[in-house]
Amino acid sequence: MRAKTAVVLGAQWGDEGKGKIVDVLSERFSAVARYAGGHNAGHTVIIGEHKFVLQLIPCGVLRPGCKGVIGNGVVLDPIAFLSEVGRIRELGVAVDGNLFVSNRAQVILPYHRMIELAAESAPGRKKIGTTSRGIGPAYEDKMARSGLRVVDLLHTELLKTHIEAACAEKNAIAHALFGTDPLDPEKMYEEYAAAAEKVRPFVADTSRLLNGILASGGSLMFEGAQGTMLDIDHGTYPFVTSSSATAGGAATGTGVGPTAIGTVISVTKAYVTRVGGGPFPTEIHDNAGDLLRQRGNEYGAVTGRPRRCGWLDIPLLRYSNQVNGAEWLVVTKLDVLDELEEIPICIGYEIDGKVTDEIPADVHGLEAIKPRYTTLKGWRQSTEGVTEFDKLPKAAQEYLAFQERESGAKIGMVSTGPDRGQTIVLPKFAAELDDITS
């Protein structure tokens, strides 16, 4: 019998529209658990006239009866978390008793932001294009076994001792390397001790909670952050995030065993985008890129930064499906392509004169890629809001069929607009979801 769980993640560099997809699917699940990243990830959900931009809180909390869980693989900024809780409370979302934070999650503190901002701005340093929110340095401290966990945040004496020791070390490092002014440990302690008391009601052993839901016959969705090509191991290193964004991170980042993963649902745009630095083989450098950016509103949900736009990259999508074991694809923003007469799709690479469809592991190889394209006919009519596959233009159906055939995963859903209702759910996918969640 298939496990009653599903992982939903991004197939490329994030911003694929996972927030809407998790929201649409979450009505079927008992809980949605976020397993990686921090408040650098923005998931936008539009429900009627309301727009929700969630950075830490799983999208499941927007569904009555669905619990939201922030897993141990997430790094938590307590101040950002409480601010987000306040915003969605004001919009009428019932968070109390429905939202839980792992007691084993790592905590982001101001010195993490100080170090990251100084390092990213330092002359001669390779700029990764981070959000400078302290995510990377918090994960560095986690791996160095010198981090502060949520369970420690709640013990005032331990918190005070930790902040004093960490500030002594981080202030010295930041001043020596970057000339940064020191942070005040006493002021930091007072702010975070007060925040800890407000975070306390949300804290739980979330591994126990999630496994208990499964044991009682409930179903779980694991919500990914960023995208596969930003994964610390499998992405375009070093232009990656600091956590495991791929499907494997769902187990390590929540404390639910890998044998409990039922299916993996990979979300891809009908084209590709990327924010920040790093290689992007199919990036568009002409007016077509501006058109996609304008029609797709391609600006970061958290930072507002314009996203780089590119054509669909089949070798990259195939690689993503491989490392995630993706069984299903969800294609978003199909309607953004409505005005194009022809649509290029990358079907292979040329690297240093050799034809390949293998993703290079090194930056040089990635930057040396010359994409090899085929061109499909556009449909030049609106697909916005279409909810039945058979009512899509024939050329749009052929575009999706090509993507499915070449990527190695089955298309289960197609998004034709930002609202919940602007979604096509294919029958075989609906049947599988029924099987998982019933």
Side-chain angles (χ1 to χ4, degrees):
M1 181 178 175
R2 180 174 287 231
K4 300 178 74 169
T5 63
V7 181
V8 178
L9 48 75
Q12 289 104 4
W13 287 280
D15 308 311
E16 296 95 348
K18 298 181 295 296
K20 173 192 167 174
I21 303 310
V22 172
D23 174 63
V24 168
L25 296 177
S26 62
E27 66 175 342
R28 297 170 173 264
F29 289 85
S30 309
V32 176
R34 171 87 177 272
Y35 63 83
H39 64 305
N40 56 339
H43 288 177
T44 303
V45 179
I46 296 174
I47 306 170
E49 297 179 356
H50 294 293
K51 179 180 179 180
F52 299 85
V53 178
L54 303 176
Q55 295 171 244
L56 276 166
I57 296 174
C59 300
V61 297
L62 302 179
R63 291 283 188 181
C66 183
K67 292 180 172 60
V69 175
I70 296 175
N72 58 275
V74 175
V75 286
L76 184 97
D77 183 321
I79 307 300
F81 170 74
L82 292 170
S83 175
E84 191 171 335
V85 167
R87 288 198 304 274
I88 66 170
R89 266 201 193 118
E90 290 175 1
L91 291 169
V93 177
V95 291
D96 300 291
N98 290 319
L99 178 61
F100 303 88
V101 175
S102 171
N103 53 12
R104 291 174 170 83
Q106 294 280 324
V107 177
I108 298 174
L109 289 160
Y111 51 75
H112 293 127
R113 293 193 294 274
M114 172 184 72
I115 292 287
E116 184 169 37
L117 183 62
E120 188 75 355
S121 305
R125 290 289 293 265
K126 181 182 287 187
K127 289 179 170 52
I128 304 298
T130 73
T131 57
S132 298
R133 298 188 176 215
I135 311 295
Y139 277 114
E140 289 177 30
D141 279 0
K142 174 181 179 176
M143 293 306 178
R145 296 161 293 180
S146 61
L148 184 82
R149 300 193 298 175
V150 168
V151 67
D152 306 320
L153 179 73
L154 304 182
H155 294 281
T156 53
E157 286 303 314
L158 195 156
L159 175 64
K160 186 177 180 64
T161 302
H162 181 92
I163 285 177
E164 287 173 351
C167 279
E169 176 188 326
K170 308 294 185 183
N171 281 339
I173 291 171
H175 181 73
L177 293 179
F178 312 117
T180 305
D181 293 334
L183 295 171
D184 181 350
E186 186 173 339
K187 181 180 177 183
M188 189 187 304
Y189 166 73
E190 290 174 358
E191 182 181 11
Y192 280 80
E197 290 310 306
K198 295 178 182 178
V199 172
R200 187 184 295 274
F202 299 98
V203 178
D205 182 340
T206 53
S207 172
R208 181 183 176 90
L209 171 70
L210 293 170
N211 281 288
I213 290 171
L214 286 178
S216 63
S219 55
L220 302 178
M221 185 195 302
F222 301 99
E223 178 181 357
Q226 286 91 34
T228 298
M229 301 311 295
L230 292 175
D231 183 89
I232 186 68
D233 290 299
H234 302 290
T236 49
Y237 191 89
F239 297 94
V240 292
T241 192
S242 301
S243 59
S244 297
T246 46
T252 57
T254 63
V256 174
T259 55
I261 304 299
T263 191
V264 178
I265 302 165
S266 186
V267 184
T268 171
K269 280 178 181 161
Y271 49 102
V272 187
T273 60
R274 177 166 198 168
V275 172
F280 186 0
T282 64
E283 184 171 8
I284 305 167
H285 297 287
D286 58 24
N287 292 338
D290 296 332
L291 175 67
L292 296 183
R293 188 176 301 109
Q294 179 184 4
R295 285 184 53 80
N297 190 28
E298 296 297 354
Y299 299 90
V302 173
T303 63
R305 290 185 292 181
R307 296 174 185 143
R308 300 154 66 190
C309 295
W311 301 117
L312 186 66
D313 187 332
I314 291 294
L316 185 143
L317 184 56
R318 198 180 294 130
Y319 169 80
S320 173
N321 290 341
Q322 169 193 299
V323 298
N324 289 307
E327 186 175 0
W328 293 97
L329 279 181
V330 174
V331 181
T332 63
K333 295 201 172 183
L334 181 70
D335 54 301
V336 174
L337 303 181
D338 285 350
E339 293 185 2
L340 298 177
E341 189 170 345
E342 292 184 328
I343 306 171
I345 300 180
C346 174
I347 56 170
Y349 303 144
E350 183 182 320
I351 303 175
D352 298 332
K354 296 181 180 179
V355 174
T356 181
D357 62 357
E358 184 176 333
I359 304 291
D362 62 309
V363 170
H364 167 75
L366 288 161
E367 291 176 341
I369 287 173
K370 294 180 180 179
R372 300 174 69 238
Y373 289 102
T374 190
T375 301
L376 298 188
K377 186 179 179 182
W379 41 93
R380 301 299 299 274
Q381 64 187 93
S382 177
T383 62
E384 185 175 0
V386 174
T387 57
E388 296 178 36
F389 189 85
D390 291 344
K391 292 186 177 178
L392 289 173
K394 187 69 174 175
Q397 293 182 35
E398 290 172 356
Y399 184 82
L400 294 169
F402 184 92
Q403 188 171 350
E404 178 178 77
R405 185 171 62 250
E406 296 296 323
S407 72
K410 299 169 287 189
I411 291 180
M413 290 175 62
V414 181
S415 175
T416 57
D419 197 77
R420 275 178 176 172
Q422 295 175 311
T423 309
I424 299 168
V425 181
L426 277 76
K428 287 184 179 179
F429 183 62
E432 171 129 333
L433 288 175
D434 289 340
D435 184 47
I436 289 172
T437 58
S438 60

